[in-house]
Amino acid sequence: FKYAQVLMANGKTDEAVAQMKAFAAKAPNDHRAQAFLANPDYLKALDSKQKSFTVRTLTINSEKTDFAPFLAPDNYLYFASARDNSSKKDGYKDESFLDILRVALGKDNQFGKPEPVSELNTKWHEGPLCITADGKYMYFSKDSQSDKKFTTDKKLNTRFGQIYLYRAEMYN
């Protein structure tokens, strides 16, 4: 069943249908097999549905890790990024620790230049985040190493912190 889903996700509808038929033959009492047998063309019907979104890469992406975008009520897009080229690197991808960045979305629907939210960023990980609908509070995650709460693995020569949740009140 899961292999058929992977095939479908990769646009291989005919192969996905063949796998579902094989799955249904081996597990005829499985509810997923029964649903398939009741409507064997459902995969092709899904494939032919009109798309609801047009997905495009934003020009503000960097060559580093950028993720968890959140468009706030003030028309700033906040996101987590490892684009800072500090000497402090994480132990996983050898990238800088994550920071929270923000960039203005202009009236022309174009983004300006991303800037770090220096009031929240430390030398450790920060982000992702969200902001309440009234724009008053920001909730975000932050690495506990900034609070000096971590364990050290001497064999790996690294520290492991805990990710905590925080709330910041926004002032204008």
Side-chain angles (χ1 to χ4, degrees), residues 70-96:
F70 181 84
L71 186 60
D74 61 359
N75 259 12
Y76 275 91
L77 183 76
Y78 291 81
F79 61 98
S81 178
R83 65 179 65 199
D84 174 23
N85 288 321
S86 69
S87 60
K88 193 100 180 125
K89 305 290 185 200
D90 72 17
Y92 302 104
K93 293 182 71 180
D94 198 34
E95 289 185 337
S96 297

Side-chain angles (χ1 to χ4, degrees), residues 18-37:
Q19 284 299 316
M20 281 304 296
K21 286 179 180 176
F23 171 71
K26 290 182 179 180
N29 294 327
D30 187 288
H31 67 91
R32 298 166 296 182
Q34 291 171 352
F36 171 76
L37 292 172

Side-chain angles (χ1 to χ4, degrees), residues 107-159:
K107 292 182 181 179
D108 60 355
N109 233 14
Q110 299 298 313
F111 289 103
K113 180 182 176 201
E115 299 288 339
V117 180
S118 57
E119 302 90 345
L120 300 176
N121 292 331
T122 67
K123 64 182 181 178
W124 307 105
H125 288 303
E126 287 84 32
L129 65 97
C130 66
I131 297 174
T132 56
D134 62 6
K136 188 170 181 179
Y137 297 101
M138 173 187 289
Y139 293 88
F140 64 100
S141 56
K142 182 171 90 166
D143 195 306
S144 65
Q145 294 188 66
S146 63
D147 296 330
K148 309 240 184 295
K149 296 178 180 176
F150 57 85
T151 58
T152 303
D153 186 324
K154 291 181 182 179
K155 187 176 180 181
L156 295 174
N157 192 29
T158 192
R159 295 178 184 170

Side-chain angles (χ1 to χ4, degrees), residues 97-111:
F97 280 74
L98 298 169
D99 283 329
I100 296 172
L101 277 75
R102 77 178 193 167
V103 59
L105 177 61
K107 292 182 181 179
D108 60 355
N109 233 14
Q110 299 298 313
F111 289 103

